[in-house]
Amino acid sequence: MIKTIKKVSIIGIGNLGTQIAEWAAFYGYQVTIFDVKQEGLKDFVETAYKKIQQKGASGNIHIKDSLNEAVKEADLIIEAIPEKLELKRNVFSQIDKAAPSHAIIATNSSSIPVSMLEEAVERKDKVLNIHFYKLPAFPMADIARGTKTSDQTFEIGKEWIESIEITPLVLKKQCLGFVFNRVWRAIKKECLKIWAGGYAELETVDKAWEIFTKNPIAPFKFMDIIGLDVVYDIEMMYYNESKDPTDKPPKKFEEKVKRGELGVKSSKGFYDYTK
Ligand SMILES: NC(=O)c1ccc[n+]([C@@H]2O[C@H](COP(=O)([O-])OP(=O)(O)OC[C@H]3O[C@@H](n4cnc5c(N)ncnc54)[C@H](O)[C@@H]3O)[C@@H](O)[C@H]2O)c1
């Protein structure tokens, strides 16, 4: 643990928020969580405690029923709510009003540079992108500054990431998609085009990936794990930024998301998980 951060709040306890909360608690941080959907949070905490105890540690995760309560004593707040710019701006603003003045506010966004959120807060020197990848599979996190983030904030953020045994991927300047997500984005975009254009079956693409990289987590399988709604929102972020028509996610993909085929979480995505 580092001296400057003891209490960490996670806002948005979905796919990634659960993973970050459990991971930070395992490393001894006092974690407070808040989600607009309260159901399931107790079950999450119980399961997380069991997993943490099996690994020989004790966890400390508190559920709060309001955002204000969740952040009022925090040293570091990580927002992991859906990839919607206005929603994130609103939540950043709420956190800024309720959190102690020394607290750092970070976004786990997969594509939004924190410079696009900093207008929503007064403490522009204390904002960061801390973007986790799936845990425990990929123990790395992008870290990036806003336009006014101080060196001190950046160093504390980096030290905190290292303190939980995650490799920081340092951005020298703001970049949509950060370090590895930008690479992954290029792969994902081309895979979606091959599938939507009817050039090859998605299983063929995944098989080629498995043979070429020796990695069983192939692109379509991975998109199903991430959640196709999340993937769609991220693709729209890139499109809205560039306005390049080739960046727009394929219609066939949009229709799939609208049908509620969201991947593993809805039991159907590119693959069928009902069995
Ligand atoms: N899914 C991934 O693999 C992945 C990986 C890295 C980063 N991310 C990023 O993490 C963020 C969350 O993604 P996710 O996949 O966990 O999404 P998710 O949909 O699984 O979870 C989002 C959670 O936020 C909650 N929420 C919505 N509005 C809220 C509000 N105003 N206050 C508090 N909680 C609120 C929802 O109820 C939900 O539980 C996104 O920015 C995404 O880009 C996702």
Side-chain angles (χ1 to χ4, degrees), residues 216-245:
I217 309 177
F220 287 99
K221 283 186 192 149
F222 192 40
M223 283 190 261
D224 271 355
I225 293 169
I226 292 168
L228 301 190
D229 50 343
V230 177
V231 172
Y232 179 80
D233 288 342
I234 294 167
E235 291 307 292
M236 283 305 289
M237 266 304 300
Y238 285 103
Y239 170 65
N240 288 331
E241 179 69 11
S242 71
K243 298 286 181 231
D244 175 349

Side-chain angles (χ1 to χ4, degrees), residues 10-20 34-38 41 67 79-84 87-88 90-91 94 107-112 130-134 181 222-223 225-227 229-231 233-234 265:
I10 315 291
I11 306 301
I13 302 298
N15 209 332
L16 253 285
T18 49
Q19 295 172 18
I20 303 166
F34 169 70
D35 195 292
V36 280
K37 284 192 205 134
Q38 291 275 300
L41 293 186
L67 184 141
E79 160 279 299
I81 64 169
E83 193 77 345
K84 310 267 187 212
L87 182 63
K88 284 193 190 283
N90 283 338
V91 166
Q94 281 179 54
T107 175
N108 184 52
S109 168
S110 302
S111 61
I112 303 171
I130 299 183
H131 168 246
F132 287 86
Y133 292 76
K134 285 254 173 229
N181 243 16
F222 192 40
M223 283 190 261
I225 293 169
I226 292 168
D229 50 343
V230 177
V231 172
D233 288 342
I234 294 167
K265 64 182 164 189

Side-chain angles (χ1 to χ4, degrees), residues 3 16 50 55 57 111 114 153 183 213 233 241 273 275:
K3 283 193 191 126
L16 253 285
K50 276 186 201 145
K55 289 189 267 178
S111 61
V114 74
T153 297
V183 176
T213 64
D233 288 342
E241 179 69 11
Y273 302 91
K275 295 178 195 96

